[in-house]
Amino acid sequence: MSRLFYLLLLLIGWLASCHPAVGGSTPKSQRETVTSLLRTLLRSVKVDDFNPNPNVHIALRLARDHNLATEELLLKQLKEASVRKVLNGEDFSSGLVALYTLAVASSCNDPANVMANGKTINLIGILEEKVTQEMKHIEATGFPLSNYYQVSLDVLTLCVMNRHVSPCSVRILTRAVDEEKFTHGSEFSVDTGSVAALALRCVKQAGTIQNTVNVGDALTKVLTQILEHVKDDGLIGNLYSTGEAMQALAVNVDFIPEGSWNRSRTLEKLLSEIAKGSFSNPQAASQIAPSLEGWTYLDVNQLNCSADQDNLTLPETSTTLEPVTSAVPIKVEYNIEDGVNHTFSDAVNVTVPRGSRLIQVLEEAQRLYPVRFSFTVTMTLWGPSLTMVRGLSSSSQDRTYWQLLNGSRPLDQGIGDYRPQNGEHIFARLTHY
């Protein structure tokens, strides 16, 4: 074989490894829609951000087009935040460590050697320790320290980073599938199942676990559960679980029956929702962007950063002020209920301007009755999350959370994004997960 022919084979192999392998990206005719989504992610990056979003960085890195200055800024912020969290003992759950690890790796940096402000930490080593703690807690109590979404993300990250994934971790994950532990309330969690499917796919491809039959069986089962939640309009679960579900199904096409999922229909639905502004939340946008570009989290460690094109620009923001109009008021009934200990149940009618977000309803209820409707939020990657009502806190130890509903229907957005309509009956109910 000639040297030239050999080099040609290497080039072909390199191109194949860099090309999306999950069914292709968005059609050229819809490219501007994807670009608008990426610009939403770029605009979310602030110069003085104390808690940067690793999901946003991963999505930007898995995109075709790049704004390298913004990505460099976000990478710097992520490194600084991770070092600060570790050295100051701040809350740094296993799933968040996994996301930071993937984010750093997506910029072709070594997560085992993260340096900021003269200090160095090993994110992979920290993740391995946290996974051990998660597994011990599951073995002792039957539940993770965090939740199965994070545990699945942990296993996925270690596998993607070519680190040792213990047979114990895989066994616990496959057992969770068998015992149908991927629930939120009483419903199957498409989000959790999707990340677990990605993790199991990575483990199976790596071939380092001897009993791959159980992995294949678990993968088939969780994919079947995901497919059961595909809707006629293409959504999988709900609008905000569809992005990760797309990744899980696309990378496992050999495990799903032919014709059981119409990828084009799902893609068309997401693109239409982007145009409506449904993905203004950067976290939500970050979870659909990889699928629109034809990539998955499994590709994070295979990017060729030296080939990045610095071609994603941000148009100048208009300085034209919109005319001020007086908002039409709406009435919303806001209910609070301790559904675990049954210590209280209360309701109040509040009036807010049309277009208000749910958090404004809670604020108005608290203004009217400061004690009865007092509440506390915690900032998450998704925005503010309701964690305490009338002095009663949600608890990871007791596996409780404040569930938000419109009537009997769980909301698929948080209090910082959901906009109630006139006459809605909103419930905040403490419940088990």
Side-chain angles (χ1 to χ4, degrees):
M1 180 184 297
S2 71
R3 185 171 183 273
L4 180 60
F5 185 65
Y6 177 71
L7 289 174
L8 181 61
L9 286 179
L10 287 179
L11 177 61
I12 292 171
W14 178 82
L15 289 172
S17 69
C18 294
H19 191 273
V22 294
S25 54
T26 303
K28 288 183 179 180
S29 60
Q30 294 284 350
R31 187 65 216 174
E32 188 54 40
T33 304
V34 177
T35 299
S36 71
L37 186 79
L38 296 176
R39 285 174 174 154
T40 295
L41 297 176
L42 288 177
R43 291 189 184 96
S44 73
V45 181
K46 309 301 181 185
V47 174
D48 56 351
D49 200 340
F50 197 61
N51 284 300
N53 190 326
N55 279 103
V56 168
H57 190 71
I58 294 167
L60 289 172
R61 293 299 308 142
L62 289 174
R64 186 195 72 179
D65 302 325
H66 299 276
N67 185 304
L68 297 181
T70 302
E71 291 174 17
E72 281 296 323
L73 170 62
L74 185 49
L75 176 63
K76 178 176 178 288
Q77 292 174 340
L78 288 165
K79 289 181 176 181
E80 291 173 346
S82 61
V83 170
R84 187 194 74 238
K85 287 176 182 293
V86 172
L87 297 184
N88 294 350
E90 297 178 23
D91 183 34
F92 209 13
S93 67
S94 67
L96 194 55
V97 175
L99 286 174
Y100 270 72
T101 301
L102 290 174
V104 171
S106 69
S107 279
C108 302
N109 281 232
D110 183 5
N113 186 33
V114 176
M115 293 181 287
N117 301 323
K119 304 293 183 181
T120 303
I121 62 169
N122 180 349
L123 280 175
I124 296 181
I126 293 168
L127 179 59
E128 289 173 331
E129 292 174 7
K130 287 186 175 289
V131 169
T132 299
Q133 294 168 7
E134 292 275 17
M135 298 307 160
K136 285 181 178 179
H137 197 271
I138 293 173
E139 292 283 29
T141 67
F143 298 102
L145 276 169
S146 55
N147 51 58
Y148 277 109
Y149 180 94
Q150 295 194 48
V151 170
S152 299
L153 191 58
D154 300 341
V155 173
L156 167 65
T157 301
L158 289 177
C159 181
V160 167
M161 297 307 303
N162 298 315
R163 300 302 284 244
H164 175 66
V165 179
S166 71
C168 172
S169 300
V170 177
R171 183 175 67 251
I172 285 175
L173 196 57
T174 56
R175 188 172 68 202
V177 174
D178 292 338
E179 297 176 0
E180 300 188 354
K181 294 285 185 72
F182 298 162
T183 56
H184 192 68
S186 59
E187 297 292 322
F188 172 73
S189 170
V190 173
D191 308 76
T192 303
S194 299
V195 178
L198 287 166
L200 292 171
R201 177 69 187 203
C202 184
V203 169
K204 188 167 180 62
Q205 284 184 173
T208 55
I209 304 300
Q210 289 184 346
N211 193 358
T212 56
V213 175
N214 288 344
V215 173
D217 291 345
L219 188 52
T220 299
K221 179 170 181 176
V222 75
L223 290 169
T224 299
Q225 290 175 306
I226 294 169
L227 288 170
E228 288 171 352
H229 288 77
V230 175
K231 298 180 179 178
D232 292 341
D233 61 2
L235 291 184
I236 310 169
N238 62 49
L239 183 60
Y240 301 105
S241 61
T242 299
E244 289 180 331
M246 273 188 80
Q247 291 189 46
L249 295 178
V251 83
N252 284 297
V253 287
D254 52 333
F255 271 80
I256 62 177
E258 187 175 351
S260 59
W261 173 51
N262 187 328
R263 181 184 182 278
S264 296
R265 184 176 299 164
T266 299
L267 187 61
E268 288 170 7
K269 177 62 176 176
L270 289 181
L271 291 169
S272 69
E273 291 294 336
I274 294 171
K276 294 177 185 176
S278 301
F279 290 96
S280 58
N281 183 307
Q283 176 71 2
S286 72
Q287 292 195 338
I288 66 166
S291 291
L292 298 179
E293 295 283 27
W295 295 98
T296 76
Y297 296 150
L298 299 186
D299 300 306
V300 160
N301 206 27
Q302 301 177 32
L303 300 177
N304 178 21
C305 298
S306 63
D308 291 342
Q309 297 185 63
D310 192 12
N311 58 350
L312 181 60
T313 59
L314 267 177
E316 299 230 357
T317 306
S318 172
T319 55
T320 304
L321 297 176
E322 294 184 7
V324 177
T325 57
S326 112
V328 177
I330 62 169
K331 290 187 177 181
V332 178
E333 182 183 285
Y334 173 50
N335 302 263
I336 57 174
E337 178 184 337
D338 175 4
V340 174
N341 307 298
H342 308 290
T343 59
F344 63 81
S345 178
D346 207 345
V348 62
N349 287 299
V350 300
T351 301
V352 294
R354 176 173 291 164
S356 296
R357 300 177 192 274
L358 181 53
I359 192 169
Q360 294 170 268
V361 172
L362 273 62
E363 289 169 345
E364 178 62 10
Q366 181 175 249
R367 187 190 69 79
L368 293 171
Y369 301 100
V371 176
R372 286 165 54 194
F373 290 93
S374 62
F375 72 97
T376 302
V377 301
T378 300
M379 288 305 297
T380 71
L381 297 178
W382 284 92
S385 174
L386 186 63
T387 52
M388 181 188 291
V389 175
R390 199 188 281 191
L392 182 59
S393 296
S394 57
S395 167
S396 58
Q397 184 175 352
D398 297 331
R399 300 181 60 76
T400 59
Y401 74 107
W402 282 100
Q403 183 183 33
L404 299 171
L405 307 99
N406 175 12
S408 60
R409 180 179 62 83
L411 301 184
D412 54 17
Q413 291 178 291
I415 59 174
D417 292 299
Y418 184 73
R419 299 176 188 268
Q421 301 298 310
N422 187 45
E424 285 189 355
H425 297 254
I426 299 296
F427 288 81
R429 178 179 298 140
L430 187 71
T431 188
H432 284 288
Y433 61 85

